[in-house]
Amino acid sequence: MNLLVNGDAGKGPGGTAEPVGRVDGWVVRQGAPALVGYDVGGGYPTPGSPGPGEAGARFFSGGNSAVTTLVQEVPVPTTGPTGHGAVDAGRVRYVLSGWLGGYAAQEDGVRLSVEFRDRAGTPLALSVLGPVTAAERAHATALLERSAEAAVPPGARSARVQLSFTRTGTGGGTSNDGYADAISLRLTTTGRRK
């Protein structure tokens, strides 16, 4: 089960290339993102562009801001097979994944990260994905899948997931053409007991 809310940009305002002031499930920390429909055209990714096989109706972009940051705070389950006891016993792993990309030969991009924290908010572990470079996209408008998997550190009680879109200033235009879709954080149990 995906622990994130609205990881596919499908809920709330949006659907055009115009920036929005809020994003359901996420806190806008910097800039103003756009939740762009795959049907917008104008050079944006379309249903035929390389991307998620079962893409939803929309994807995240950096809007018109030089830097746009979205954050979602996720509690680690209290009980159950991936709850606090299993985490502290070293039996829980996480998978962070998302489709990240950009426009044509431009180097605008997005970083996806997760930082696990203890009860006091002290960082315990960090994974960072992206940005996907223009060369990795073969200089085409595309989103490519990226993922990271590791053990949830003992003592972790929350996870901070962040999307950071950055406009490089190359290629002209005012759009921040870092793109992201199908953002997911999942916990699994190893079945190993200590």
Side-chain angles (χ1 to χ4, degrees):
M1 183 179 77
N2 188 0
L3 298 179
L4 298 177
V5 175
N6 199 20
D8 64 357
K11 296 179 181 156
T16 72
E18 293 301 313
V20 296
R22 66 175 182 84
V23 179
D24 283 17
W26 299 82
V27 175
V28 179
R29 287 282 167 86
Q30 187 174 0
L35 308 185
V36 183
Y38 280 100
D39 60 353
V40 166
Y44 286 102
T46 68
S49 301
E54 295 183 13
R58 309 189 301 194
F59 59 91
F60 298 96
S61 89
N64 294 330
S65 305
V67 177
T68 295
T69 304
L70 301 176
V71 174
Q72 193 167 150
E73 304 281 353
V74 180
V76 170
T78 305
T79 60
T82 59
H84 295 175
V87 166
D88 294 347
R91 297 197 308 269
V92 180
R93 296 183 65 78
Y94 69 90
V95 178
L96 176 71
S97 64
W99 289 76
L100 312 177
Y103 173 74
Q106 292 184 8
E107 292 293 352
D108 295 6
V110 56
R111 282 186 172 86
L112 168 63
S113 65
V114 62
E115 182 179 75
F116 284 90
R117 299 177 170 202
D118 67 12
R119 191 179 312 278
T122 304
L124 300 175
L126 175 69
S127 287
V128 181
L129 303 173
V132 170
T133 66
E136 290 172 313
R137 294 183 277 103
H139 298 95
T141 299
L143 287 85
L144 304 180
E145 188 174 26
R146 295 291 183 262
S147 65
E149 180 179 352
V152 176
R157 295 297 179 263
S158 66
R160 173 177 287 182
V161 176
Q162 182 168 299
L163 283 167
S164 295
F165 303 82
T166 303
R167 184 175 65 218
T168 63
T170 61
T174 59
S175 294
N176 181 334
D177 287 308
Y179 307 140
D181 197 1
I183 307 304
S184 173
L185 178 65
R186 299 176 191 275
L187 301 183
T188 61
T189 179
T190 64
R192 178 173 53 93
R193 298 197 177 272
K194 288 188 173 182

